[in-house]
């Protein structure tokens, strides 16, 4: 069973971005916080959950 963080990513998605003057801009990996780096590692697990739940 996958943990709660993975399920949250499945439901809401996750993308590292900043909001500059109302414009959504993706953050370069070199500027990610430790928490964003952890969440980035959860994203592939979430995709795996989705792909394994889909039949041919």
């Amino acid at each position: 069973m996958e943990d709660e963080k993975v399920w949250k990513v499945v439901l809401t998605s996750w993308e590292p971005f900043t909001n500059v003057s109302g414009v959504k801009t993706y953050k370069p990996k070199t500027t990610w916080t430790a928490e964003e780096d952890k969440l980035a590692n959860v994203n592939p697990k979430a995709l795996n959950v989705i792909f394994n739940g889909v039949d041919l």
Side-chain angles (χ1 to χ4, degrees):
M1 181 166 202
E2 301 298 328
D3 65 7
E4 189 174 320
K5 286 184 181 181
V6 172
W7 186 241
K8 185 176 179 182
V9 170
V10 169
L11 293 175
T12 63
S13 77
W14 179 83
E15 298 170 349
F17 69 92
T18 72
N19 194 346
V20 179
S21 300
V23 177
K24 184 177 177 178
T25 305
Y26 292 99
K27 292 174 70 173
K29 185 165 176 55
T30 56
T31 65
W32 289 1
T33 64
E35 182 63 24
E36 289 169 333
D37 204 30
K38 285 180 188 177
L39 289 171
N41 290 325
V42 174
N43 202 44
K45 291 179 184 179
L47 290 173
N48 187 43
V49 167
I50 293 169
F51 291 140
N52 284 325
V54 176
D55 196 4
L56 293 174

